[in-house]
Amino acid sequence: MRSVVGLVCVILLSTLYLYYLSFYLPPVPRAMKHSRVGASSDQQDMDMIRLKFPSDLQELNQMAELLRLYKKEHSGFVLLLFSSAYLYKQAFAIPGSSLLNILAGALFGPWLGLVLCSVLTTVGASMCFLLSHFFGKQHIVRIFPERVAQLQRKVEENQSSLFFFLLFLRLFPVSPNWFLNMSSPIINIPLTHFSLSVLIGLIPYNLVCVQTGVVLSDLSSLDDVLSWNVVLKLLLIACVALLPAALIRRYRNTYTLPEHKDQ
């Protein structure tokens, strides 16, 4: 009971903090004010976009447009708001991080967006790890007994190369990332191994999402989708995303085949 109360308090405080950031905004940017000159008050109210987690590409485009305007005069606030929302999703295992990754590419560009998402993914997943460790162990085992037991067996079988096994799970997500984040402390995975595997293993996924946001923000019409610039960017993304997978596959062939021969 104490663990449930503690978790509820953490969720409540985090939600109130995020609510405060999203509803008590800094002054409206001058660019937005100029764009509303001549519009009726009703139209202005209808045009106001309420900050919330985007659920589809249309809402994502609207959010990106609004935050790009805010970023011109309140870059620190936009960075704080984005980071807080990202950590909130990661810490409480809420789906939809891919849309935030795309939003990062549209707002911060390819390289800053990639670094930001990689760091936030690692910190947020580590927060989820710690929340599970302190508040949720018995509840997760009760809700997912078979999945936890199966993952426990896999970890024990790969104990000699635990980090590379964790890296493999991130690159080839047999189990969802949210389940790995919550169940890792239950099966005694060290936090250092866990965090480093998240940081490295999710770089290809973050790269694809961030670069997608960059490409989408550069499109002015549907004809631009087939431009050589966009095609070459997408090809480069695919090559970089496949590189870690090839390295892991080579590692598995090198270190697992001898074990099978001994058996």
Side-chain angles (χ1 to χ4, degrees), residues 82-111:
F82 178 84
S83 300
S84 301
Y86 202 108
L87 291 177
Y88 184 90
K89 268 185 171 289
Q90 288 288 317
F92 300 121
I94 302 173
S97 61
S98 58
L99 290 177
L100 290 184
N101 288 348
I102 295 174
L103 181 61
L107 289 177
F108 304 107
W111 304 117

Side-chain angles (χ1 to χ4, degrees), residues 7 10 86-94 117-137 140 163 166 170 177-186 189-200 202 206:
L7 181 59
V10 172
Y86 202 108
L87 291 177
Y88 184 90
K89 268 185 171 289
Q90 288 288 317
F92 300 121
I94 302 173
C117 287
S118 297
V119 172
L120 291 176
T121 299
T122 305
V123 174
S126 300
M127 292 169 62
C128 185
F129 179 104
L130 293 174
L131 286 173
S132 175
H133 175 74
F134 289 110
F135 301 116
K137 281 187 175 182
I140 295 171
F163 173 74
L166 296 175
R170 296 296 177 176
N177 284 319
W178 61 265
F179 180 74
L180 288 176
N181 296 344
M182 294 191 300
S183 60
S184 290
I186 301 172
I189 292 177
L191 181 58
T192 52
H193 282 51
F194 172 85
S195 299
L196 193 58
S197 67
V198 173
L199 178 62
I200 299 175
L202 291 182
N206 291 333

Side-chain angles (χ1 to χ4, degrees), residues 209-227:
C209 294
V210 169
Q211 290 286 1
T212 300
V214 174
V215 171
L216 289 178
S217 66
D218 290 340
L219 297 181
S220 57
S221 69
L222 292 178
D223 294 334
D224 294 338
V225 174
L226 298 179
S227 68

Side-chain angles (χ1 to χ4, degrees), residues 50-68:
R50 183 67 59 84
L51 289 179
K52 62 178 182 178
F53 288 114
S55 58
D56 53 39
L57 286 178
Q58 181 180 359
E59 291 183 358
L60 182 66
N61 287 330
Q62 292 176 341
M63 194 68 59
E65 182 181 357
L66 174 65
L67 291 179
R68 275 196 292 263

Side-chain angles (χ1 to χ4, degrees), residues 140-189:
I140 295 171
V141 173
R142 187 180 70 252
I143 297 172
F144 307 105
E146 295 181 0
R147 298 181 71 171
V148 172
Q150 182 182 15
L151 187 59
Q152 176 74 60
R153 288 193 298 269
K154 293 294 184 182
V155 168
E156 291 174 355
E157 292 171 1
N158 295 273
Q159 195 65 42
S160 60
S161 56
L162 181 59
F163 173 74
F164 288 97
F165 174 68
L166 296 175
L167 199 59
F168 175 81
L169 289 181
R170 296 296 177 176
L171 289 168
F172 302 95
V174 179
S175 295
N177 284 319
W178 61 265
F179 180 74
L180 288 176
N181 296 344
M182 294 191 300
S183 60
S184 290
I186 301 172
I187 54 182
N188 298 319
I189 292 177

